[in-house]
Amino acid sequence: MPHDLSHLDAALATYPRVALLEGPTPIQKLQRLSRLPELNGCNIYVKRDDLTGLGGGGNKLRKLEFLLGEALAAGADTLVTWGGFQSNHARLTAAVAAQQGLACELILTPSAVRSDDDFCHNGNVVLDALFGASIHRLPRGVAPDTFAAERVDRLKQQGRKPFVMPLGGSSPRGSLGYAACAGEILRQADTLGIRFEQITVPNGSAGTHSGLLAGVTLAQAPTTILGYSVLATEEQASALTVEKTGQVLQLLSPSTALAEASIKVDGSQRGEAYGAPTEAMLEAVRLLASQEGLLTDPVYGGKAFAGLLAAVRRGDFPAGSNLLFVMTGGLPGIFAYRSAFDG
Ligand SMILES: *Cc1c(COP(=O)(O)O)cnc(C)c1O
């Protein structure tokens, strides 16, 4: 029986959305990795959300479809957002602004754990400037949301119409992009004739995880969504994911309750801090690259894939399980982390 997605589709259609993807991103099986004896006969698939076409691609474009819909409906002429120097969300907001002919202001904050030249000046920040964004680099200790509020006041005084996006684009509206992605995955699973036991994602600002979970909940699909937290601790990320998933469901179907037991966050891969490299991350990025020719980033995808590898090697899944890993993009981050990959 194919999934019934009518409820989800109808609910999503009530929100303004600007198409930024060319169509569904591919789902591919990792042929070589899935044959490694240590992976215990599991079938590992990837959802190629790194292949979204604009601005170097990545998961933020799905959120930006709904955020841009919201911004244009509000008459915005300037997009404002913030993040770290290597924020993929900031980069893709700048790309979308360029494509739409909007102004863009990015407020970028330094990292607590990386301050080398590549981190500060390579990777995403190179691209932000190419897309024509105005960049405000904050010194340590200045709160980006406070700075953003001041910038917004100033822009309004100048007669502009700024629209502010939260960290990672993970407002409830932005997270609808991943509820839509859940529908897309379930349709592809129907076409492939398989059921995914688990969908694995990195969990940063939790919009990707929350959107997917709200989507599969509404479609009544029994797929587990597991998020590896890379930013907050397991406990904090779990609480945030409960809250966000509830908010997304509220937008889509207020009568649908969230079973709290369906929130699965694993904090084992975060390491000492957000953005701090771990041995397991380095091994996971190298394995995917050397065995499959695929690129994951050191901050999100590398850590989440390391978690999936550890679980599969441990024997958490019976042979024949179909496991889907969402590749969320972030390729520019590899260049920012050159020193971590040296040697
Ligand atoms: C932002 C980001 C994530 C995490 O998504 P959230 O919705 O913030 O949890 C994962 N991977 C990449 C490459 C990202 O840029």
Side-chain angles (χ1 to χ4, degrees), residues 45-264:
Y45 291 82
V46 285
K47 171 72 172 161
R48 297 293 308 275
D49 271 14
D50 57 322
L51 283 186
T52 47
L54 194 67
N59 66 338
K60 300 308 179 306
L61 284 175
R62 289 193 189 269
K63 305 180 194 177
L64 282 161
E65 289 199 327
F66 286 91
L67 292 168
L68 187 62
E70 191 182 3
L72 295 182
D77 61 13
T78 306
L79 304 180
V80 178
T81 197
W82 66 87
F85 289 168
Q86 292 301 330
S87 167
N88 298 301
H89 168 66
R91 168 192 26 112
L92 288 169
T93 299
V96 165
Q99 188 217 39
Q100 298 286 322
L102 304 171
C104 180
E105 302 235 349
L106 301 179
I107 297 155
L108 303 182
T109 56
S111 157
V113 295
R114 311 278 302 172
S115 57
D116 61 292
D117 252 22
D118 284 311
F119 186 87
C120 296
H121 300 289
N122 206 340
N124 282 289
V125 275
V126 177
L127 307 182
D128 296 343
L130 283 181
F131 296 133
S134 306
I135 297 167
H136 307 272
R137 282 182 184 251
L138 297 191
R140 227 171 272 287
V142 177
D145 46 347
T146 313
F147 186 91
E150 287 165 14
R151 268 313 289 163
V152 162
D153 284 345
R154 177 63 65 84
L155 289 166
K156 283 183 180 159
Q157 283 162 18
Q158 295 168 353
R160 303 262 291 278
K161 296 208 155 160
F163 179 85
V164 184
M165 290 175 202
L167 182 79
S170 289
S171 62
R173 282 281 197 109
S175 305
L176 288 176
Y178 269 89
C181 182
E184 186 176 307
I185 290 171
L186 295 174
R187 278 199 173 85
Q188 289 173 305
D190 287 339
T191 305
L192 291 165
I194 55 180
R195 288 282 174 269
F196 292 114
E197 276 83 8
Q198 180 174 297
I199 301 176
T200 303
V201 292
N203 182 318
S205 59
T208 303
H209 187 159
S210 300
L212 283 171
L213 183 56
V216 300
T217 302
L218 216 62
Q220 297 185 309
T223 301
T224 301
I225 312 289
L226 177 71
Y228 284 94
S229 59
V230 300
L231 177 60
T233 62
E234 181 172 305
E235 207 176 36
Q236 293 164 332
S238 191
L240 183 67
T241 307
V242 171
E243 185 192 340
K244 289 224 158 132
T245 309
Q247 291 169 339
V248 182
L249 274 176
Q250 191 64 32
L251 289 183
L252 290 172
S253 170
S255 61
T256 303
L258 175 69
E260 285 213 11
S262 66
I263 303 280
K264 300 212 184 304

Side-chain angles (χ1 to χ4, degrees), residues 313-329:
R313 283 170 175 155
R314 232 177 11 234
D316 284 8
F317 302 98
S321 298
N322 295 313
L323 307 171
L324 182 67
F325 179 72
V326 182
M327 290 187 64
T328 47

